[in-house]
Amino acid sequence: MRTVDIIEKKKLGQELTDEEIAFFIKGYTEGTVPDYQASALAMAVYFQDMSDREISTLTLCMRDSGDTVDLSDIPGIKVDKHSTGGVGDKVTMIVAPIAAACGVPIAKMSGRGLGFTGGTIDKLESIPGLSTAVDNERFFKQVKDMGIAVVGQTGNLCPADKKLYALRDVTATIDSIPMIASSIMSKKLAAGSDRILLDVTTGSGAFMKSTERAMKLAERMVAIGTAAGRKTVAIVTDMNTPLGRCVGNRLEVMEAVDALHGKAETELMEICLTFASNMILLGEKAETIEEAESMVERVISDGSAYKKFRDMVMAQGGDVSYIDDISKLELAPIEYEIKAAKSGYIHNIDALAVGEASMLLGAGRETKDDNIDFGAGIYLEKLVGDYVNEGDTILRLYTSDKSKISNAGRRLEGAIVISENKPEGKSKIIGKVE
Ligand code: URA
């Protein structure tokens, strides 16, 4: 078999056989297929798409390229939750403890942020002392003892995806439905949970810019999970504006802690209620969505959801005094305000611009080796739908490096749209695929 023939076949829009896909993934992981051929194939897939069978085979080959986690020793139905990426997306930090407090075992491996999207691992590590580098033995023990662990991905999980993702990042082939679907699902399948809940984001701050493409991605990921024997549900959500008020690691921890105490914006609470109750349903701890929703409300109001989060932070070495009193979490010392250029209602605060500006302030990584400034980020003083007077502060920027403000400020030019009429309120939940 020759790689060039596989590329030629895909270039012409033909279906690859399982053997051809397996040959490519094995060769690329082992280094016998060079980057230039893998780039050509990625671009051919980008333009020619793949059938459900090809995507499933690609996913399973990537899953099997490294270690897989066997969670069968942990009693109960383990439920994983994953987002395809967003701005201000602190949902995992909120819904994982809620679901755990309702009895759903959470054994979760999360990723770091890259570019304009943040990662749960970085957010958690912004709590002083907390470590997400937990070995397998401690990971299993923590889930068995307290029902929740959120840790970094182990070194050798899906090495084929790691290599291919890095290549796609520099060859403009990230936003390909078959490749995103197989990349995410290979890691979800390797991480071992029984059921998977996906947040497929759409809009400016997401990989999928249109709802139509997001629905397609959702359908494909659900098909892969189902074919692999793991019940998978996807919820498509709007990411045209940041989620909630905080973007940046420590800021998002503060907002997550508030949400666990029941204090969050309606929109963030709606998303968390939806995701937490769907996790509870998938974990078979409730029979109806209404029952699951009332469980969510109960564990927030009786403090047990926050206690789960606190227990997890403590078990992973975090200093809980910083979450018991979030004002102790230090933000970056230099503040800069973006003010309203005119009076009126806010119609848009562009998620991509806010995500990139936050990264430029030091909250994210441009390349995977960059360091993160945990205290940097952006606080949204005003949200879409709010009325502002000219000169009111809309965004508050935090950084430790004054020279970063001008670039971030430039990136935010045109990101805020103000007009005379009040915009219609819209739900962030767009659709569900199961
Ligand atoms: N996240 C992933 O893990 N893979 C992709 O391809 C895109 C987002």
Side-chain angles (χ1 to χ4, degrees), residues 82-85 161 165 168 174 176 179-181 183-184 187 207:
H82 184 88
S83 162
T84 58
D161 172 65
Y165 188 85
R168 288 167 51 214
I174 288 283
S176 146
M179 283 187 288
I180 294 181
S183 165
I184 291 176
K187 288 175 288 207
F207 288 121

Side-chain angles (χ1 to χ4, degrees), residues 73-75 105 138-148:
D73 254 12
I74 299 169
R138 266 186 57 211
F139 176 57
F140 277 71
K141 184 168 172 358
Q142 190 177 317
V143 182
K144 280 185 188 165
D145 290 351
M146 63 183 61
I148 182 168

Side-chain angles (χ1 to χ4, degrees), residues 13 27 54 65 135 160 166-167 214 219 228 263 308 366 404 408 428:
E54 284 177 295
S65 65
D135 64 39
L167 184 83
E219 281 160 13
K263 293 179 281 177
K308 268 293 165 212
E366 252 172 292
K404 292 186 165 162
K428 284 240 177 207

